[in-house]
Amino acid sequence: MAACAGAGGNARTEPAEASGDGVLRVGLILDNTGDNAFLNAPQLAAAKLAIQEINAAGGHKGRPVELLPVHPDQDAARQANGLAAAKADVVIGPTDSSHAASAVEVLSHSRIPLMSPANTAGGLSGLASGGYYFRTAAADVAQGPVLAKLAKDAGAGTISVLYQDGSYGKELSAAVTDAAKKSGLTVLPGGGFKAGAAGDAARGAGKAKPDAVVLIAREGAQGALSELNNAGLSGSRLILSDGAFARYGSGLPSRVLEGARAIVPGQLPTAAFQGRLLAVDPALKDLSYAAETYDAVTLAALAAARAQDDAGRSIAANLIPVSGGAAHAGAGAPAAPCLSYRECLGGLAAGPDINYDGESGPVAFDSNGDITAAVFSVYTYGTDNLPTLSGRETAGHSG
């Protein structure tokens, strides 16, 4: 991941003097276009909902929090420039990991924190931002221990890992392999493949005869599943990464995925949260990244409340403490969780340490601005090769 020339120092851990103007302004980068444009609506609705509820609880120091106008027709860097000019104190977004560096390049120089609800690329943990980059979505590699655990929980003693070439596949494959070995599983031959050319890797895994196969892929997943089936590996022996999760149905022969499991980051929004979102946008059809967006806005407001200042540098310096996270190893146990802006604000009145657990689950930022507890929904496939929600797993720790 190429570093950007962001502000120096580390705003996540350095003390900051109050320098705000008294109004907390939130910006939103909506970078989804074309077929992905539908992802803009849930993020916008969630940001509006969070700000409504923050203002209903008194806003920031008695003044309403403002949501700045959005411009999804512009690229991420241009949106970032516009938000900096509009005096944003914190910006939520972007969705696409490949757009993070350009947005951070702009915002870090203006000392404005960027909090993405959707960036998952592993390399972003090392993005040079001067401490102004955070994300409420887990990095892809956080799936590693969960995928290994699913294999072990089902009684596997040996696994093979097949991965599609690319940073996603290679980084997650390494994480799965490491977690599997640490849990006592034996890792048998697997290997990488290019989309549409998984035959050799699948046949190699078939010859190794593992108890379970972890498939890490995106657009090449369906072809890889077909090749694995041809190699005698199907059904409950298969465990799919989030990129390989899909409603395959008749796209694969009947029962090929019966009993297979897959994971998806996050948890299903509660009925209450869905209802509150629909009250903001009755036309809402999708909830992707809504919970993570809502939590990002709420955390930013709590950080401003803890600092008693709305400036971006003050927000960046207080995000780790209000999330229940720790900037250094060996920190004490986090405070008991609080579950809303209003409740957490009451906690701040009693002391500086709070631990916001939101609609997306625990957050607990670390020194990289990454969350240290990631929730995953587990799906199990039926005879029709369609997935049904069957459980939940948490990776990492909540404090």
Side-chain angles (χ1 to χ4, degrees):
M1 175 62 62
C4 70
N10 187 353
R12 299 184 192 111
T13 57
E14 294 171 354
E17 294 184 4
S19 58
D21 62 7
V23 178
L24 177 58
R25 299 179 184 88
V26 178
L28 190 60
I29 292 177
L30 299 176
D31 58 325
N32 301 289
T33 58
D35 291 342
N36 289 327
F38 72 94
L39 293 171
N40 291 333
Q43 294 177 69
L44 180 58
K48 288 180 177 179
L49 174 63
I51 288 173
Q52 284 180 10
E53 296 183 351
I54 290 164
N55 288 339
H60 173 65
K61 298 177 71 173
R63 299 181 69 174
V65 176
E66 296 180 2
L67 179 63
L68 296 173
V70 297
H71 297 284
D73 56 314
Q74 301 174 0
D75 65 31
R78 187 176 176 191
Q79 290 184 62
N81 274 301
L83 291 168
K87 298 184 178 180
D89 298 303
V90 63
V91 173
I92 312 302
T95 305
D96 193 321
S97 292
S98 68
H99 298 163
S102 62
V104 166
E105 176 75 19
V106 173
L107 296 171
S108 64
H109 281 294
S110 298
R111 297 184 173 182
I112 300 171
L114 177 69
M115 301 176 67
S116 173
N119 292 169
T120 60
L124 290 174
S125 294
L127 182 64
S129 70
Y132 286 97
Y133 178 66
F134 298 78
R135 47 183 171 175
T136 51
D140 290 325
V141 293
Q143 299 175 57
V146 175
L147 293 166
K149 181 178 184 295
L150 289 179
K152 188 164 186 177
D153 286 353
T158 60
I159 68 167
S160 290
V161 182
L162 265 66
Y163 64 91
Q164 186 175 327
D165 286 341
S167 59
Y168 169 77
K170 291 178 180 177
E171 291 171 1
L172 183 48
S173 173
V176 173
T177 299
D178 181 63
K181 290 178 178 178
K182 287 179 178 177
S183 70
L185 292 170
T186 299
V187 180
L188 300 176
F193 62 89
K194 297 187 183 300
D200 288 345
R203 284 187 289 273
K207 291 177 182 177
K209 301 186 185 308
D211 297 328
V213 176
V214 176
L215 175 64
I216 301 166
R218 285 183 167 147
E219 66 274 8
Q222 184 164 321
L225 289 168
S226 295
E227 294 289 0
L228 283 167
N229 182 48
N230 293 338
L233 296 168
S234 62
S236 60
R237 297 169 76 178
L238 301 177
I239 300 169
L240 313 185
S241 73
D242 71 325
F245 172 79
R247 295 174 60 85
Y248 291 100
S250 60
L252 291 170
S254 178
R255 309 179 79 97
V256 164
L257 294 182
E258 183 180 7
R261 286 153 295 154
I263 63 174
V264 175
Q267 57 192 7
L268 286 179
T270 64
F273 184 53
Q274 292 183 51
R276 285 150 52 206
L277 286 169
L278 287 170
V280 172
D281 180 1
L284 200 60
K285 301 296 184 184
D286 187 272
L287 300 176
S288 298
Y289 311 124
E292 292 83 0
T293 300
Y294 177 92
D295 287 346
V297 175
T298 302
L299 283 160
L302 287 170
R306 186 179 190 269
Q308 285 295 291
D309 180 46
D310 56 274
R313 189 167 184 181
S314 294
I315 293 171
N318 285 274
L319 278 167
I320 292 176
V322 299
S323 74
H328 307 287
C338 51
L339 305 179
S340 68
Y341 178 78
R342 187 184 295 274
E343 180 185 351
C344 292
L345 203 60
L348 283 174
D353 296 324
I354 60 172
N355 176 15
Y356 174 74
D357 283 3
E359 294 293 342
S360 64
V363 181
F365 291 124
D366 65 11
S367 59
N368 291 319
D370 287 339
I371 63 175
T372 53
V375 177
F376 294 89
S377 297
V378 181
Y379 289 80
T380 300
Y381 284 83
T383 58
D384 54 3
N385 298 324
L386 296 176
T388 301
L389 183 67
S390 58
R392 192 181 91 157
E393 294 285 348
T394 300
H397 53 89
S398 59

